[in-house]
Amino acid sequence: MDVATGLLDRGPLEYLAPVRANGHASAVAPAERGPRLDAEHLRRCAWEIGERRPAEWYSPEASHVGLAMVGPTRGFAYWHVLLGWAEEMGRARGQGWDGARPMLRLYDVSYLEFTGLNAHRMQDHPLPALVGETFFNLPSPGTWQIAEVGFLLRNGEFLPAARSPAIPFAPSAPSRQGGHAALLVRGPGRFEPIGNVWDQEHELRERRRPHLRQPLRLVAFAFASRASGQDGTLATFVAELAAGQAARGHEAHVFVPASEQLPEQRQEHGVTYHPLPGVAGSSPLDLAHAFAAAAREKLAELPPFDLLHLHEWMTGLVPGASGRPTVLSLSSLESTRRNGASPDDLSRAIEQAEREMAHSARCVLTPAWLRERAAGELGLGWERVHPFAMEGRVPNEWEQPLDVGQIKMGAGFGPLDRMLLYVGPLEHAAGVDLLVESLPVLLRRWGNLRIAYVGLGPMHQPLMRRAGEMGVGHAVRLLGHVTGPWLTQLLRSAEAIVLPSRYRQPQDDCVIDLARKAGRAVVTTHGGPAHLVRHEENGLVTYDNPGSMVWALDRVLGDPGHAERMGQNGRRNDSGALKWDEVAGHYLGACVSWFPELTVKRL
């Protein structure tokens, strides 16, 4: 009989000393007391029991999986899949079982009656063996989780062997009934509600930024508009710009020569059209003088306007233009209209009138192709001549001029570095570690290669630690959560967008859509959104290991022309349609810097 068995055979009463009637323990000889239960003796007993490893001899009757909470966003899982069950599934599936992988699947079933198909979120963790235990991270606290253990087949089907009970994970705050609303206090008794306290920087910045007074009285002078019966680029520009101004709460007026379609004052799409009678003449200069005289009479009947817009040089003789905020828009110059012909006296007079009108206006708008020539021939500085979309389409955030060097410097790289970009969660399933593992080889070939990560997740610290261990920390930047214009600029500045996914990730199709808008090639894996990428046409599809990443990224970096062509092949442009509402918004936004006297601040 061994020591442990001997301890169990002795009853607990054998170790109790006899007690006298007076309450004092009687003296017992050491030989009568049994083994001494000191700490060393107990440790030896525990060691002997542990050496036998009784748990390893236990064989469960069925597969099982269990969960436990470690923290609000961290859990522990243990599992045991019976070998017999796996062999039976393999025989039943035949060739479909080839490549099957053991998998732990977690379901977020918060506030749900789980049916196997209706989880809020699902995440997979590959398993190294049929029996084991592991820790895992959750994206958010305060959830209920169910785990299934089984095999994931190559066709995406999951065969569960066991399911755990639903386990609650604690919230990270004492109460879930919190909110992000706030109050903006502007002074004693002066406050207003703000939707989200975390938007305070954006809110304060917007309130400190100058805004146009509301409403402004705006007037445009033109020889054509759709309301007066004309058609064409100028008529459309005049009508749509005024309608957009009115839609934004301003008081918009348009002065045009009277016509059969506009014999009297009329309001259309919120814009008041004023017909000017008696506009006639034998030459363009006579028409300009007649228009100015008719406009003078009409202006005398109306309250003063805050901003004047003169469409083309023939409206530039309107009185009072030089004393108030004035915009002159020119779709052409007299020198371009002559088309190489020699100027006559009338042409020279028109050129002189154009020059005088341009100098009297505070701001001159031209098409982009005409800006440089207009600034030179009219003798104006570049700060007064602005390119503007008179055809109804403004360059969007994906088309505007971009200083790529400045964007790279803002990300912590050099202006001449070659940047690759990852956008998504920093998780093991997303394969973010594969890029770091491939960097030592790539940097020997391309010394100025840099990797920028956009996103958050549990792999943040491990990535930085691993990059430091491999000596490539200088080539890696973790930018965290990035949205808005900064994300757009990063996408446009990268040489390619890399998604080294082990498995599909939420919103990875949206990332590819952003890459398409930016005109950038996409490098992904067969486990990622490969169905959205045509290999060697608009991106590259490879495998989820560092060696394959080296091959794909070397292909992009070694042939930048091919990478550019792949990006252009996949480019998607949503801005082909006319967007006059955006044109009007762009116009009013530019007036903030053109005419500070028309602005106010909300703070």
Side-chain angles (χ1 to χ4, degrees), residues 509-561:
D509 52 342
C510 297
V511 176
I512 289 187
D513 185 63
L514 293 176
R516 296 286 178 257
K517 290 181 179 180
R520 292 294 174 262
V522 177
V523 178
T524 190
T525 64
H526 292 282
H531 66 289
L532 299 176
V533 179
R534 298 188 300 275
H535 186 61
E536 293 287 357
E537 185 174 343
N538 58 15
L540 298 174
V541 180
T542 185
Y543 297 94
D544 55 348
N545 60 74
S548 296
M549 282 292 110
V550 170
W551 173 85
L553 300 183
D554 188 68
R555 180 87 174 95
V556 170
L557 299 168
D559 192 350

Side-chain angles (χ1 to χ4, degrees), residues 394-462:
V394 296
N396 60 27
E397 58 183 348
W398 303 99
E399 302 169 333
Q400 293 173 350
L402 183 68
D403 189 338
V404 174
Q406 285 295 120
I407 302 304
K408 293 179 182 178
M409 292 172 66
F413 299 137
L416 300 180
D417 288 341
R418 306 183 69 178
M419 183 176 70
L420 299 175
L421 185 67
Y422 167 83
V423 180
L426 301 185
E427 297 180 354
H428 180 267
V432 291
D433 56 308
L434 299 179
L435 292 179
V436 174
E437 297 291 339
S438 66
L439 266 180
V441 177
L442 289 168
L443 285 172
R444 286 198 292 268
R445 303 178 184 180
W446 315 100
N448 61 344
L449 171 63
R450 301 293 183 263
I451 304 290
Y453 288 90
V454 170
L456 300 171
M459 289 288 288
H460 185 281
Q461 291 300 328

Side-chain angles (χ1 to χ4, degrees), residues 306-325:
D306 298 305
L307 175 65
L308 282 66
H309 189 136
L310 310 174
H311 291 276
E312 305 300 332
W313 72 271
M314 291 177 66
T315 63
L317 299 178
V318 171
S322 59
R324 281 179 286 182

Side-chain angles (χ1 to χ4, degrees), residues 6-174:
L7 288 175
L8 295 176
D9 289 344
R10 294 173 183 266
L13 294 178
E14 296 184 34
Y15 303 102
L16 297 179
V19 180
R20 294 177 179 175
N22 59 6
H24 297 285
S26 62
V28 181
E32 300 177 4
R33 292 182 182 177
R36 185 180 180 183
L37 298 181
D38 57 6
E40 182 62 30
H41 181 78
L42 294 176
R43 276 196 297 269
R44 187 171 70 254
C45 294
W47 179 83
E48 291 177 355
I49 295 173
E51 277 293 295
R52 296 191 185 95
R53 300 178 181 176
E56 295 183 2
W57 296 96
Y58 172 74
S59 178
E61 297 180 357
S63 301
H64 67 269
V65 59
L67 288 181
M69 183 192 76
V70 178
T73 59
R74 188 165 176 81
F76 174 78
Y78 60 92
W79 69 91
H80 188 133
V81 179
L82 296 183
L83 180 60
W85 178 88
E87 293 175 344
E88 182 183 350
M89 290 293 104
R91 288 191 296 269
R93 293 289 173 162
Q95 294 182 352
W97 186 258
D98 294 343
R101 296 171 294 172
M103 192 71 62
L104 174 69
R105 177 163 287 185
L106 298 173
Y107 300 94
D108 182 348
V109 296
S110 306
Y111 312 110
L112 288 177
E113 185 174 343
F114 185 53
T115 65
L117 302 172
N118 59 341
H120 297 299
R121 189 179 189 272
M122 181 183 71
Q123 62 186 86
D124 286 343
H125 296 271
L127 301 181
L130 296 181
V131 181
E133 56 191 33
T134 187
F135 291 93
F136 59 86
N137 293 319
L138 297 175
S140 59
T143 62
W144 285 72
Q145 299 287 329
I146 285 179
E148 285 185 344
V149 66
F151 278 80
L152 182 66
L153 305 186
R154 286 187 304 173
N155 62 3
E157 181 182 1
F158 181 68
L159 301 178
R163 178 184 294 177
S164 75
I167 301 299
F169 284 73
S172 59

Side-chain angles (χ1 to χ4, degrees), residues 126 133 148 172 176 188-189 230 314 329 339 363 372 383 449 521:
E133 56 191 33
E148 285 185 344
S172 59
R176 297 180 61 89
Q230 292 82 24
M314 291 177 66
S329 58
N339 196 23
C363 173
E372 184 175 355
E383 70 280 357
L449 171 63

